Amino acid sequence: DAGVIQSPRHEVTEMGQEVTLRCKPISGHNSLFWYRQTMMRGLELLIYFNNNVPIDDSGMPEDRFSAKMPNASFSTLKIQPSEPRDSAVYFCASSFRTGRSGELFFGEGSRLTVL
Amino acid sequence: TQLLEQSPQFLSIQEGENLTVYCNSSSVFSSLQWYRQEPGEGPVLLVTVVTGGEVKKLKRLTFQFGDARKDSSLHITAAQPGDTGLYLCAGDNYGQNFVFGPGTRLSVLP
């Protein structure tokens, strides 16, 4: 079975450019999460969706960040314009949530470097 | 704001030694999970503990959930180099989001 698939694995861009990260969750999962990981701040939740609907985006740093989930098999995280402080590894994770349970399955991450 | 703290932040030990890492919070969670992350990969679930006081064993790893469901510990017996990695605890916020601790970075030297 395919796991969570993220692309690109690595992206190097210049400050001010638009960055789009993509995620394909595991088929049948009803929740999708975007996390950002840095050495200083660890794993931070940016936004999560339940049944394709954004539930909590309070972790999105600012208006430069946006996320969409147009259908159950695809999500994007966009940064526009990008800044050097956005450099991090961005993880997408999906889960089948039933009541209070569910395991997170992570993708391999997208390592973003903004010069 | 729900926060999870983990200690120690870093741990370097020799192969064969025992160790315990801790995860603490002032918040109650519906369950708590432990993940291990290796370089260049996403975290992978090790265990989920749900009931206060619960103890689960996974080979040489023993996980315990505190009675009040606010804290947890992970004990590794006879650590091996393959145990090296970042150990993350995550609190399940009653079916909503997951809150992650900062992690314990373990290095087991041969």
Side-chain angles (χ1 to χ4, degrees):
Chain A
D1 286 344
V4 175
I5 299 172
Q6 291 187 246
S7 64
R9 287 296 311 276
H10 302 274
E11 173 124 3
V12 180
T13 190
E14 292 188 343
M15 183 173 64
Q17 296 299 305
E18 178 179 294
V19 173
T20 299
L21 306 179
R22 297 172 177 79
C23 176
K24 177 178 169 54
I26 293 173
S27 177
H29 282 189
N30 58 6
S31 296
L32 183 140
F33 302 77
W34 282 101
Y35 286 90
R36 177 172 68 177
Q37 188 175 39
T38 61
M39 286 294 290
M40 291 295 294
R41 301 173 68 92
L43 260 175
E44 300 175 280
L45 177 66
L46 299 176
I47 185 171
Y48 78 97
F49 296 83
N50 193 35
N51 294 317
N52 312 338
V53 176
I55 302 300
D56 182 0
D57 65 354
S58 60
M60 296 285 261
E62 47 199 90
D63 292 345
R64 297 185 298 107
F65 285 68
S66 62
K68 293 183 179 179
M69 192 165 186
N71 57 62
S73 59
F74 185 65
S75 177
T76 59
L77 177 67
K78 187 174 292 188
I79 308 173
Q80 166 64 20
S82 58
E83 297 182 4
R85 60 188 167 131
D86 301 331
S87 296
V89 181
Y90 290 80
F91 286 102
C92 174
S94 70
S95 177
F96 181 67
R97 300 287 259 160
T98 56
R100 301 187 219 173
S101 65
E103 170 187 351
L104 279 175
F105 291 82
F106 284 82
E108 293 185 305
S110 294
R111 181 176 294 276
L112 173 65
T113 303
V114 183
L115 304 174
Chain B
T1 302
Q2 294 175 306
L3 291 174
L4 279 168
E5 298 178 343
Q6 291 188 244
S7 62
Q9 272 189 289
F10 301 95
L11 187 57
S12 182
I13 61 172
Q14 293 293 133
E15 181 176 1
E17 292 184 10
N18 302 331
L19 67 115
T20 302
V21 298
Y22 300 93
C23 174
N24 297 287
S25 176
S26 58
S27 302
V28 177
F29 295 99
S30 54
S31 69
L32 197 139
Q33 300 180 336
W34 284 91
Y35 291 78
R36 180 168 68 207
Q37 184 179 20
E38 298 187 23
E41 299 181 6
V44 176
L45 181 71
L46 295 173
V47 78
T48 300
V49 284
V50 179
T51 306
E54 181 177 4
V55 177
K56 279 192 174 178
K57 291 192 175 184
L58 184 67
K59 297 184 180 177
R60 295 177 292 102
L61 278 60
T62 302
F63 304 85
Q64 184 160 7
F65 202 11
D67 291 340
R69 305 207 325 272
K70 294 181 180 180
D71 54 84
S72 180
S73 63
L74 159 59
H75 181 81
I76 301 179
T77 303
Q80 299 177 0
D83 296 327
T84 294
L86 177 66
Y87 288 81
L88 296 158
C89 65
D92 189 337
N93 186 19
Y94 291 89
Q96 298 181 47
N97 60 336
F98 291 86
V99 177
F100 276 84
T104 292
R105 196 167 295 277
L106 172 66
S107 177
V108 182
L109 306 173

